[in-house]
Structures are given as structure tokens and as C-alpha cells.
Amino acid sequence: LPAAGSMEVDEPFDRAWRRVSLALDRSGFTIEDRDRSAGLFFVRYVDPKAATVEEPGFFAKLFGAKGPDKTPQRYRVVLKGDGGKTAVTVQNSAGTAPEVGDAGKAIVAQLVRELR
């Protein structure tokens, strides 16, 4: 079973690259850059839960209430081909660690839905 923030596609790298690219486009991610030779997509993602939460009102702000962080977060979607299968992993923006938090899970879940 793949770790949180990752999945496996039962297709060779070329097909998986094309399908993941389309899935990211359809899912509303902003693809800032891509490097096919390295199997990398650089994407921006806004958590839909944060995007739909109301901003605090005037008095709440006056007394220090903060609204949700609606700043788009940057992630790397990494594809690694292995014969007829391709591993897809969501990493933090620096590419130093897998993104295992809610955002990583949400991005993978969205890709799973789109790749069906």
C-alpha cells in the first residue's frame, strides 16, 4: 500500500505523465512549471476548506481573530516510472520530503478521482 501523499498508476511513465498533467489541469491546480525529464510538476494548491471559510468580521479582526490561510501553497508532484507502473508522490515545495499532511492526501485523492 502506498504511503499517504503517494499513489501508483498502472501505466508506463509516458502515459502516466500525460494523464497526470491532464488531471492536474482539470482539478484546478496551477501548474507553475514542469520538468518532464525529471518527472516533476511544480503546482500551487489552495485547500478548498480554507477557500470556503468566511473571513472574520470587523470586530473579530479588531480583537485579533485571524482568517484561514488562503495563500496558495506550493508542492511538487513527482513521477517515477518503473516498467509498466509509475509512482506518483506529492512533495513539499523544496522537494526534500513527501507531503504527508492533509494537503498531500487531498492532492492524491483528487488525482485518484481524476485518473479513474
Side-chain angles (χ1 to χ4, degrees), residues 5-25:
S6 68
M7 63 185 278
E8 191 172 78
V9 180
D10 284 328
E11 293 183 346
F13 178 85
D14 290 344
R15 285 200 55 176
W17 176 265
R18 191 167 44 253
R19 291 191 62 214
V20 168
S21 178
L22 290 169
L24 288 169
D25 284 339

Side-chain angles (χ1 to χ4, degrees), residues 7-116:
M7 63 185 278
E8 191 172 78
V9 180
D10 284 328
E11 293 183 346
F13 178 85
D14 290 344
R15 285 200 55 176
W17 176 265
R18 191 167 44 253
R19 291 191 62 214
V20 168
S21 178
L22 290 169
L24 288 169
D25 284 339
R26 281 195 306 263
S27 299
F29 292 97
T30 303
I31 300 175
E32 293 185 327
D33 199 3
R34 57 186 94 205
D35 179 350
R36 191 173 189 285
S37 62
L40 278 174
F41 289 98
F42 298 88
V43 299
R44 265 194 338 234
Y45 173 72
V46 176
D47 185 348
K49 286 183 278 211
T52 57
V53 174
E54 298 262 328
E55 289 289 330
F58 173 76
F59 289 105
K61 280 184 183 171
L62 192 64
F63 293 105
K66 293 210 180 331
D69 184 9
K70 294 184 183 181
T71 319
Q73 299 299 309
R74 289 181 165 82
Y75 299 96
R76 291 181 184 203
V77 178
V78 184
L79 279 70
K80 282 195 177 25
D82 183 18
K85 296 183 184 299
T86 303
V88 180
T89 309
V90 179
Q91 296 181 339
N92 61 16
S93 62
T96 55
E99 180 57 50
V100 294
D102 290 342
K105 291 176 192 160
I107 293 168
V108 168
Q110 187 72 33
L111 285 174
V112 168
R113 279 194 296 278
E114 288 291 336
L115 290 171
R116 278 195 181 128

